[in-house]
Amino acid sequence: MSFWKERDILLEGKKCFDLSRLERLDSAGLAMLVYLQHSSYPRIAVAGVNQHVKMLIELYNLHDILITESTSVMS
């Protein structure tokens, strides 16, 4: 709950979510990424997407919704 209360402060000035060290992500985490990306302005990109996260993005048909950086696994 503390994250949600402080999310504006924590996300201020952020330009990218680096997922390169992420080992696991479930559908709730993916939903949170989509929400955070689309509730911030300017939108925060996602980079370092591993095969597991790529599979979730494809499974939920989010490849047109999540903004990913060219350095990520997504292409």
Side-chain angles (χ1 to χ4, degrees), residues 20-71:
S20 61
R21 295 178 53 190
L22 190 68
E23 293 181 17
R24 296 188 52 116
L25 182 72
D26 62 9
S27 58
L30 188 59
M32 184 177 79
L33 272 177
V34 170
Y35 173 80
L36 291 174
Q37 186 179 63
H38 288 274
S39 67
S40 64
Y41 183 82
R43 289 198 177 154
I44 302 172
V46 177
V49 178
N50 65 30
Q51 290 300 320
H52 174 76
V53 176
K54 181 179 180 182
M55 182 183 69
L56 282 177
I57 290 170
E58 290 175 4
L59 181 67
Y60 290 105
N61 199 25
L62 296 173
H63 45 330
D64 292 334
I65 297 172
L66 276 173
I67 300 168
T68 58
E69 290 205 336
S70 60
T71 57

Side-chain angles (χ1 to χ4, degrees), residues 8-16 41-42 44:
D8 292 333
I9 295 168
L10 294 170
L11 297 175
E12 186 176 336
K14 302 290 186 237
K15 296 180 182 180
C16 183
Y41 183 82
I44 302 172

